[in-house]
Amino acid sequence: MTAINTNVGALMARTNARAADAATENQMRRLSSGKRVNSAADDAAGLAVGNKIQSQLRGIEMGIRNSNDAIALLETADAGYATTANILQRMRELAVQMSNDVYTAADRTNADLEFAALELAATSISTDTKFNETVLLTGGFSATMRIGNDDGETMAIVLDISDVYNGTHSIATQASSAAIVTGLSTAINTLSGAQADVGSYINRLQFNVSNLSQAAVVAEKTLGTIMDADYAKETSNLAKNQILSQAATSMLAQANQSKQSVLALLQ
C-alpha cells in the first residue's frame, strides 16, 4: 500500500539515529571523563563495588599517613632516649673516674659540678621531649594508633620510662662515686630496654607502611579495572556510532524523499 501518513522507513531511520546519537554522547562522556562508569546507569553493580574499593583505598592511604605520624613520634622519643643515654654514659664515666683515689677534694668538686649539670640536663630531656605539644618521656605516655583501614588495625604504644636516674646525686667523695657507678649502670640498662621497645615499634610500623603501600597499589589497580574507560575500545565505538548516526540521518532524508513520488499520482 502506498501511503504518506505513515512513513515506516523514516520512523526506523529516526529511531536508529537517536540510538546512535545517544551512544555517541555516552562515548564522548567516557572519553572526556576518563571513566567507564560515570553514573549508576552505566553500571550500577560496578559503581557500588567501585565506591567500596574507593573507600577502602582512602582508608589505606590514611593508614599509611597515620603510621608515618606514629613513626615520627617514636623517632622523637628515640632521639630523647639516645641523648639521655649519652648523658648517662658521661655521668658514669665521671663517677668511675672519681672512684679513683688519686684526686683531691678540689678535683672532685669540679667534677661534681659537671655531674650535677648533666643530671639536670637528663631530667630536662624527660620533660622537654614533645611531639605535637604532647610530652613523651615523663613515663605516662600511652596511645592507640589507627594504622590501617579496618577498625581492628590499631597499635598500642607505651613509653613508660621517664627519668631513669632521678634525684640528686654527688661524686664529691670516692665512696659516693663508687656507689653511683652501680646505679648508673642499672639506669643505662633500663634505658637500653626502652630504646629497644621504641625500635621494635618503629620496625613494626615500617613493615605496616610497606604492606599498606602494596595493598594500595592493588586497590588502585582494581578500581581502575572497574571504573576507568578503555580508550581503545571507546574511540572505536565512537567512530562506529558517528558513522551510524550519519548513515541514519542520510537514510532519514532518503525515506522522506521517497514519499515525494506519491505526488506524481496527483498530477
Side-chain angles (χ1 to χ4, degrees), residues 73 76-81 84 124-131 134-138:
L73 181 148
T76 302
D78 187 51
Y81 281 149
T84 302
S124 68
I125 289 173
S126 297
T127 56
D128 295 342
T129 301
K130 300 178 182 180
F131 184 85
T134 300
V135 180
L136 302 179
L137 305 183
T138 55

Side-chain angles (χ1 to χ4, degrees), residues 69-104:
D69 287 343
I71 289 173
L73 181 148
L74 289 166
E75 287 177 341
T76 302
D78 187 51
Y81 281 149
T83 303
T84 302
N86 290 333
I87 292 174
L88 293 180
Q89 292 286 6
R90 175 57 181 165
M91 290 171 65
R92 186 179 183 279
E93 181 182 14
L94 289 172
V96 170
Q97 182 183 11
M98 291 301 107
S99 298
N100 196 4
D101 203 18
V102 301
Y103 296 99
T104 65

